Amino acid sequence: MSDKYKLNIDGVEVEVPKAYTLMQACEEVGAEIPRFCYHERLSVAGNCRMCLVEWEGAPKPLASCAQIVGDLRPNRDGSPPVIRTKGAYVEKARNGVMEFLLINHPLDCPICDQGGECDLQDQAVAYGRSDSRYEENKRAVEDKNMGPLVKTIMTRCIQCTRCVRFAAEVAGVEEIGMISRGESAEITTYLEKSLTSELSGNVIDLCPVGALTSKPYAFNARPWELRKTSSIDVMDAMGAAIRIDAKGDAVMRILPETNEEINEEWLSDKSRFVWDGLARQRLDRPYVRRNGKLHPVTWPEALDAVKAALSVGADQIGVVAGDLIEVEQAKAALDFFRGLGVKNTDCRPAGAQYGTSGVREHYLLNPTLMGVEESDALLLIGANPRVEAAVWNARIRKSWLWGNLKVAVIGEAAELTYPYTHLGTSADALAGAAVRDFFRGAKRPMIVVGEAAACRSDGAAILAAALSMAQETGAVSDGWAGFGMLHTAAGRVGALDAGFIPAEGGKATKDILGGALKTVVLLGADEADLSQLGSAQVIYVGSHGDAGAARADIVLPCAAYSEITATYVNTEGRVQMTTRAVQPKGEAREGWAIFRALSGVTGKVLAYDTADELRALLRGKTGQNTAFSGRGYAPGTKGVPALLAAPPQAVGGLGNAPFGRAIADFYLTNPIARASRTMAECSALAASLDTAVAAE
């Protein structure tokens, strides 16, 4: 039997899969079907009835979102069923539905944050009446507490249940539901508690009316006042597609854009609401410490101070790159310090055991973020994707919920929103028979190592054992490379690709920060342990007044990710670029330009004068490193199995110490987040909850 079915839609005969809904079939011929409750990434509810169409011969209109094409019978003469998406019959049905929806909806458009981008407004223009026949009092619904991120005006709610389905199906945290019936029906959180999901802000985008809006953004701007700039997120290593909305010189909000291969159309709460941190605690001028206090200086004075600090000898200088460093800054800094003869450079956390093998695929997520949908068995080693890559965690849940994926964890037992087999808490569990039993029968196994595992003293042994296990179980085979690392920092892979690791004989992060060197340069390295620096002179290059700037003797202000057009490489090796949405604050400069200026002061002039020249050098095909020659796509599994044939060299055996956490607090992972009032409020709330959530 054919899995296709013929329909006559608005006079056009079309053949579509039987599994299509009637709405999908209508859209195949270009028909525009209004809807409120239907969403392509959520289950079908059929609540709003706005998508009514006419089926010739049927006694009443059909809700096209809930009607499966294969269930339509042909006409008596065997001809395809006739569907009409327009005409007086359909128009009258939709007008009636719209009138019903507006019976209790308040006329809040002038004061509603959804105004100008509201589905209900748009459809009311097309299908609304100019007056109302409803004479009773409108009902009112008490607003609900959904925490510091989501503002509720529940009188506006039309009970489409998109938020309920998102929480249950995508976020995996069933905290929103509908209570009562009929006129008393209302959406609420259970027990009036705050939402605990790291993805809760997505209900704002899903809400087709103004019932759920952004609490931090409330009454700040109208959509037509904002400049909209497509960019990428740097709050984690996924590189989600985002849109930065700015007004004047201020970022007003951050929204997700659709990228099926990375974030689909979702965004984590930290990425969405961190924007207020972009304006607070900013470094907007250079500083030099005199008599124990930092004093503002001019750029020439600051550069001269740096020149003096770097005159101690190359072997007494160390450079540590932070989590948010862009590729251009990493490359310029590396070229500058190599020109001075400095070997002590590192972009990895203290104790990291990866990135020095010379094989890029040893530290990439080779099967890609989207590849988990092809896998049938996933082993997470020292990784908690719910806090390290929250949107990817939703994709894992999607693969478990709708596919045949099974998950196992070696590491801390955490709530991941889907069931998993816990194989142990320490690295020695990798050598046990339970791991082999888990992968038995799997056709596309996938092994992912987290940074918490790769930054231990036995990290090299863990990576070697994980890769050997991948080869043994078929995770690395022809056409499939199911081995990879899940990074936590947006700048890590790009800096590794640029070669920001110790030169031969150079010191790594732990030794650079150990207090033995006279001058230490921190490139936004605020997450590192700075307590052992001793009397070292510290030069800090960064955007925010965080831990690094507090310890620094010289501060050079740098632009944030929303203020530069710069290159980043995500955890799967995908080369991406941010786009400047606003101007840098005060006298802050782009990172690469700071080192270009320093090179002129020290007489070691770099070979490029513009960012384009620097990027052209990066993307040139000279030498063996062609990591930056492509943009916008992940390397994937093509040719990777051969590169993974030889595991990295293991030093020592697998330890039995429990895995730690790569992220202690989901909301406060970088200087921008720590400067954000919204993130501070979320962190405090998460710490006070009596349920086990990611930030505890």
Side-chain angles (χ1 to χ4, degrees):
M1 284 181 66
S2 171
D3 62 346
K4 298 279 190 176
Y5 197 77
K6 284 186 178 180
L7 296 171
N8 184 314
I9 302 176
D10 293 335
V12 178
E13 195 165 290
V14 62
E15 193 173 35
V16 298
K18 287 183 177 179
Y20 268 27
T21 64
L22 192 50
M23 177 183 287
Q24 290 172 305
C26 292
E27 289 179 340
E28 283 287 305
V29 299
E32 185 176 331
I33 308 294
R35 82 288 301 267
F36 294 117
C37 69
Y38 175 81
H39 192 278
E40 54 270 20
R41 301 191 198 276
L42 304 176
S43 61
V44 173
N47 291 340
C48 72
R49 320 308 285 183
M50 197 65 211
C51 63
L52 293 176
V53 297
E54 179 185 2
W55 177 16
E56 189 176 275
K60 60 181 182 180
L62 289 179
S64 59
C65 71
Q67 178 64 52
I68 302 300
V69 165
D71 293 339
L72 294 170
R73 58 165 176 77
N75 295 328
R76 293 183 184 275
D77 60 0
S79 60
V82 176
I83 306 296
R84 298 189 185 93
T85 67
K86 45 196 167 187
Y89 183 84
V90 173
E91 193 87 8
K92 182 179 179 182
R94 292 177 184 170
N95 289 349
V97 170
M98 176 57 68
E99 185 177 9
F100 180 75
L101 289 174
L102 293 177
I103 277 177
N104 285 307
H105 191 82
L107 189 57
D108 278 352
C109 299
I111 59 162
C112 179
D113 274 316
Q114 195 85 339
E117 47 192 11
C118 175
D119 292 349
L120 190 63
Q121 273 185 332
D122 295 342
Q123 298 304 334
V125 170
Y127 300 104
R129 291 171 56 94
S130 59
D131 61 336
S132 174
R133 294 179 288 179
Y134 189 71
E135 296 180 353
E136 305 297 324
N137 293 328
K138 288 178 179 283
R139 75 164 190 163
V141 179
E142 187 177 347
D143 295 340
K144 307 297 185 294
N145 171 38
M146 290 194 180
L149 303 179
V150 181
K151 179 184 177 184
T152 62
I153 304 93
M154 300 312 294
T155 300
R156 301 173 186 164
C157 179
I158 61 170
Q159 284 88 41
C160 72
T161 69
R162 279 186 181 181
C163 56
V164 177
R165 286 173 283 148
F166 173 83
E169 297 165 14
V170 179
V173 182
E174 297 191 8
E175 296 175 328
I176 306 178
M178 178 181 282
I179 60 173
S180 302
R181 301 176 66 181
E183 190 184 30
S184 301
E186 56 185 270
I187 303 291
T188 182
T189 53
Y190 296 118
L191 303 179
E192 291 279 336
K193 279 195 174 183
S194 169
L195 302 177
T196 61
S197 170
E198 297 79 13
L199 302 171
S200 64
N202 290 288
V203 300
I204 297 168
D205 297 334
L206 288 172
C207 185
V209 296
L212 305 178
T213 56
S214 170
K215 190 173 283 188
Y217 171 73
F219 308 126
N220 276 355
R222 285 298 196 182
W224 54 84
E225 299 176 311
L226 304 175
R227 296 191 315 275
K228 302 169 177 63
T229 307
S230 294
S231 189
I232 62 162
D233 172 54
V234 299
M235 292 297 110
D236 55 34
M238 285 184 58
I242 61 172
R243 193 186 84 196
I244 301 175
D245 288 359
K247 183 180 180 182
D249 63 349
V251 174
M252 305 302 291
R253 65 177 179 179
I254 296 174
L255 300 175
E257 287 191 335
T258 301
N259 188 323
E260 295 294 346
E261 297 183 8
I262 302 178
N263 59 308
E264 298 180 290
E265 63 183 74
W266 313 127
L267 195 61
S268 77
D269 288 348
K270 180 168 56 179
S271 303
R272 181 188 295 268
F273 294 106
V274 78
W275 52 266
D276 66 315
L278 290 166
R280 300 183 71 244
Q281 297 183 15
R282 288 301 302 271
L283 299 174
D284 58 357
R285 65 184 67 182
Y287 291 87
V288 173
R289 191 177 297 276
R290 296 169 183 158
N291 301 321
K293 290 186 177 182
L294 287 171
H295 295 273
V297 295
T298 64
W299 268 105
E301 290 174 319
L303 296 179
D304 287 340
V306 173
K307 180 182 177 181
L310 296 178
S311 64
V312 296
D315 60 337
Q316 290 298 313
I317 300 172
V319 188
V320 178
D323 292 354
L324 302 183
I325 188 170
E326 68 276 15
V327 172
E328 287 84 354
Q329 182 181 169
K331 173 65 174 171
L334 189 66
D335 289 349
F336 172 69
F337 286 108
R338 288 288 189 265
L340 297 178
V342 176
K343 296 181 178 180
N344 310 318
T345 57
D346 206 354
C347 66
R348 304 166 300 166
Q353 304 290 315
Y354 61 88
T356 58
S357 66
V359 180
R360 187 181 189 228
E361 286 68 23
H362 284 167
Y363 57 80
L364 295 185
L365 187 68
N366 296 293
T368 72
L369 298 165
M370 195 176 184
V372 73
E373 297 187 23
E374 300 178 40
S375 177
D376 53 359
L378 169 64
L379 173 63
L380 299 170
I381 304 171
N384 181 344
R386 183 171 176 185
V387 294
E388 295 170 32
V391 178
W392 189 54
N393 194 64
R395 196 187 285 267
I396 297 174
R397 174 177 166 80
K398 170 186 170 184
S399 302
W400 164 78
L401 188 62
W402 305 109
N404 60 347
L405 179 69
K406 59 179 181 177
V407 183
V409 171
I410 297 178
E412 185 182 43
E415 174 52 59
L416 297 181
T417 72
Y418 42 82
Y420 59 84
T421 304
H422 194 219
L423 300 179
T425 59
S426 57
D428 56 1
L430 257 175
V435 176
R436 291 166 178 81
D437 291 340
F438 171 74
F439 282 123
R440 188 168 288 119
K443 295 179 180 178
R444 291 216 157 182
M446 188 168 167
I447 298 176
V448 175
V449 181
E451 273 198 322
C455 292
R456 293 162 39 119
S457 58
D458 59 348
I462 292 171
L463 286 168
L467 186 47
S468 297
M469 177 63 67
Q471 293 161 348
E472 179 185 334
T473 59
V476 175
S477 57
D478 290 340
W480 177 247
F483 168 83
M485 271 193 66
L486 179 63
H487 289 272
T488 59
R492 189 92 70 234
V493 174
L496 287 170
D497 287 344
F500 210 104
I501 55 176
E504 188 173 350
K507 299 180 185 295
T509 299
K510 186 176 181 181
D511 296 323
I512 293 173
L513 301 177
L517 302 180
K518 293 181 179 178
T519 299
V520 174
V521 183
L522 303 176
L523 308 182
D526 297 278
E527 274 58 62
D529 180 8
L530 307 179
S531 61
Q532 305 299 316
L533 282 172
S535 60
Q537 192 161 15
V538 177
I539 302 167
Y540 179 78
V541 182
S543 61
H544 283 70
D546 207 73
R551 175 59 184 82
D553 298 292
I554 303 171
V555 175
L556 304 180
C558 189
Y561 76 101
S562 59
E563 300 158 4
I564 53 175
T565 297
T567 306
Y568 284 87
V569 185
N570 77 347
T571 190
E572 55 185 356
R574 187 188 304 267
V575 178
Q576 302 172 286
M577 290 195 72
T578 61
T579 305
R580 174 179 286 185
V582 293
Q583 294 297 315
K585 296 290 184 286
E587 298 177 35
R589 298 291 181 264
E590 295 187 30
W592 75 269
I594 292 173
F595 290 101
R596 173 61 183 83
L598 272 172
S599 72
V601 171
T602 57
K604 303 286 186 179
V605 182
L606 296 178
Y608 32 82
D609 297 322
T610 66
D612 288 338
E613 289 179 12
L614 170 53
R615 283 191 279 270
L617 186 65
L618 273 172
R619 292 168 185 167
K621 298 188 181 298
T622 56
Q624 297 299 311
N625 186 4
T626 58
F628 304 105
S629 57
R631 177 183 166 190
Y633 68 92
T637 59
K638 186 177 180 182
V640 172
L643 296 168
L644 296 177
Q649 186 176 359
V651 180
L654 297 170
N656 58 7
F659 283 113
R661 300 177 182 178
I663 293 177
D665 189 329
F666 170 75
Y667 297 103
L668 303 177
T669 55
N670 59 62
I672 301 175
R674 286 189 288 273
S676 165
R677 286 175 175 162
T678 305
M679 292 298 99
E681 193 174 348
C682 289
S683 175
L685 179 64
S688 68
L689 290 174
D690 57 359
T691 54
V693 295
E696 281 192 308

